[in-house]
């Protein structure tokens, strides 16, 4: 895939201190968006081929070579792909006990070279606890002094909670990544499931998704599935799912976040919906 770099005509680099930047570290790419607080709008999108195979080295390389990365921003958020995560009720969460929560959930201590981080999910009053490589955290701190790191699952959960509440029903939010996909199932603003599945084929995707319908007794005529990430209208995974589930759609720009028309006219909103949503966290 070729690099994509799209900017709104209204984007003014000299006004970067009134903007937030969200950076998505993908296993097969590097995406960042710039959000103007003054205009309440995403004014820039870059989707770039990685410069290194390692996330930490890729972040450093991008910072050195891309002039937009070196501007001063109001807030910097780095979205990491965390394959392992768990939810803890906010009322009992204590940062001093993260290793204990992890061991109770996964049956083993976190890996020595990893760091346990957490994101607060306000709509669910819970904390998303996840593991990322320590070198990624160190790289983020070295290039952005005040960077906030978050898990790629956090915006997926937030979107499922919001859509299920606004639609007053069950919504399964699915974000397709390279080699795996994240899901969040919510019913009228209540989170029922947040999980990740290894997936390489359309058959595997269909099996795991329909298993969720069976496990939670979802209605295949009325329950909605919203797809985002590395999937599309002509994708076989979407076509196969539509044979069994009536309400399957691609994600749009999230509630409360506008995206400049110069970007939406040339980029698939569903592919970047999770990083757009990260501005709402």
């Amino acid at each position: 895939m070729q690099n994509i770099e799209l900017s709104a005509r209204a984007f003014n680099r000299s006004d970067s201190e009134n903007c937030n930047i969200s950076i998505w570290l993908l296993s097969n790419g590097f995406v960042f968006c710039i959000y103007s607080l003054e205009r309440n709008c995403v004014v820039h999108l870059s989707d770039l081929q990685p410069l290194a195979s390692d996330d930490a080295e890729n972040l450093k390389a991008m910072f050195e070579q891309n002039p937009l990365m070196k501007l001063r921003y109001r807030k910097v958020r780095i979205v990491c792909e965390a394959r392992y995560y768990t939810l803890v009720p906010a009322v009992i969460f204590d940062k001093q006990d993260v290793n204990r929560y992890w061991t109770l959930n996964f049956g083993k201590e976190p890996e020595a070279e990893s760091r346990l981080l957490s994101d607060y999910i306000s709509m669910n009053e819970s904390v998303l606890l996840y593991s990322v490589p320590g070198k990624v955290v160190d790289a983020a701190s070295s290039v952005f002094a005040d960077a906030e790191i978050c898990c790629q699952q956090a915006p997926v959960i937030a979107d499922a909670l919001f859509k299920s509440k606004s639609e007053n029903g069950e919504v399964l939010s699915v974000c397709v990544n390279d080699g795996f996909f994240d899901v969040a199932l919510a019913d009228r603003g209540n989170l029922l499931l947040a999980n990740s599945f290894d997936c390489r084929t359309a058959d595997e995707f269909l099996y795991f998704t329909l298993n969720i319908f069976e496990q939670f007794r979802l209605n295949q005529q009325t329950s909605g599935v919203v797809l985002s990430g590395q999937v599309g209208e002509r994708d076989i995974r979407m076509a196969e799912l539509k044979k069994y589930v009536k309400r399957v759609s691609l994600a749009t720009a999230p509630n409360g976040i506008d995206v400049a028309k110069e970007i939406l006219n040339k980029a698939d909103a569903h592919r970047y919906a999770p990083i757009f949503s990260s501005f709402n966290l």
Side-chain angles (χ1 to χ4, degrees):
M1 191 183 84
Q2 293 183 337
N3 289 343
I4 296 173
E5 296 194 73
L6 303 170
S7 291
R9 284 188 288 272
F11 177 41
N12 183 356
R13 297 188 183 198
S14 64
D15 193 40
S16 64
E17 292 191 12
N18 290 317
C19 296
N20 294 339
I21 184 172
S22 192
I23 302 165
W24 195 1
L25 300 180
L26 296 166
S27 58
N28 62 342
F30 185 95
V31 178
F32 69 88
C33 292
I34 299 171
Y35 172 76
S36 169
L37 296 166
E38 181 180 351
R39 298 179 179 277
N40 187 32
C41 182
V42 175
V43 293
H44 180 85
L45 166 69
S46 285
D47 189 345
L48 309 173
Q49 292 294 308
L51 298 176
S53 58
D54 177 89
D55 280 348
E57 293 304 317
N58 194 29
L59 180 59
K60 292 178 182 178
M62 287 292 183
F63 181 79
E64 290 300 323
Q65 297 190 28
N66 194 305
L68 289 178
M69 300 281 285
K70 294 185 177 182
L71 299 178
R72 293 178 61 87
Y73 294 98
R74 180 80 61 87
K75 181 184 290 185
V76 177
R77 176 172 281 117
I78 298 176
V79 184
C80 293
E81 285 191 344
R83 295 305 318 280
Y84 300 101
Y85 47 76
T86 186
L87 285 161
V88 181
V91 68
I92 66 169
F93 182 78
D94 187 335
K95 284 190 175 182
Q96 304 300 318
D97 289 332
V98 292
N99 279 24
R100 183 169 65 87
Y101 301 144
W102 193 265
T103 303
L104 285 172
N105 190 77
F106 294 104
K108 60 181 180 180
E109 293 283 337
E111 296 180 1
E113 66 274 13
S114 68
R115 305 275 181 86
L116 295 184
L117 304 177
S118 59
D119 299 333
Y120 177 59
I121 309 296
S122 59
M123 288 185 67
N124 191 50
E125 295 186 353
S126 63
V127 177
L128 183 64
L129 181 64
Y130 55 98
S131 170
V132 297
K135 58 186 178 182
V136 173
V137 179
D138 293 337
S141 299
S142 69
V143 296
F144 297 108
D146 299 318
E148 296 180 1
I149 295 178
C150 81
C151 176
Q152 89 285 350
Q153 176 67 314
V156 180
I157 292 174
D159 275 357
L161 289 168
F162 178 82
K163 286 184 173 68
S164 71
K165 191 172 183 178
S166 63
E167 295 181 11
N168 195 35
E170 298 157 336
V171 172
L172 179 64
S173 184
V174 180
C175 182
V176 179
N177 303 292
D178 182 36
F180 73 100
F181 67 97
D182 294 305
V183 300
L185 173 64
D187 182 12
R188 297 171 179 82
N190 298 305
L191 186 65
L192 305 179
L193 172 72
N195 208 346
S196 177
F197 299 95
D198 290 326
C199 179
R200 289 289 179 185
T201 68
D203 286 342
E204 289 175 338
F205 178 80
L206 188 63
Y207 170 79
F208 288 124
T209 306
L210 292 181
N211 189 54
I212 294 172
F213 269 77
E214 181 178 354
Q215 180 182 355
F216 289 89
R217 299 181 180 179
L218 303 181
N219 190 313
Q220 292 174 229
Q221 298 297 313
T222 60
S223 298
V225 178
V226 181
L227 302 176
S228 63
Q230 300 176 39
V231 67
E233 192 70 53
R234 298 180 181 179
D235 192 293
I236 187 172
R237 290 166 293 192
M238 186 170 184
E240 289 298 310
L241 186 58
K242 280 185 172 182
K243 293 179 180 178
Y244 300 92
V245 180
K246 183 177 181 179
R247 296 182 59 226
V248 180
S249 62
L250 294 175
T252 57
N255 181 66
I257 299 291
D258 289 330
V259 182
K261 62 180 181 180
E262 295 93 334
I263 297 174
L264 282 182
N265 287 344
K266 296 183 179 180
D268 295 325
H270 68 271
R271 176 175 174 82
Y272 305 104
I275 194 168
F276 294 158
S277 295
S278 69
F279 292 113
N280 273 334
L281 297 177

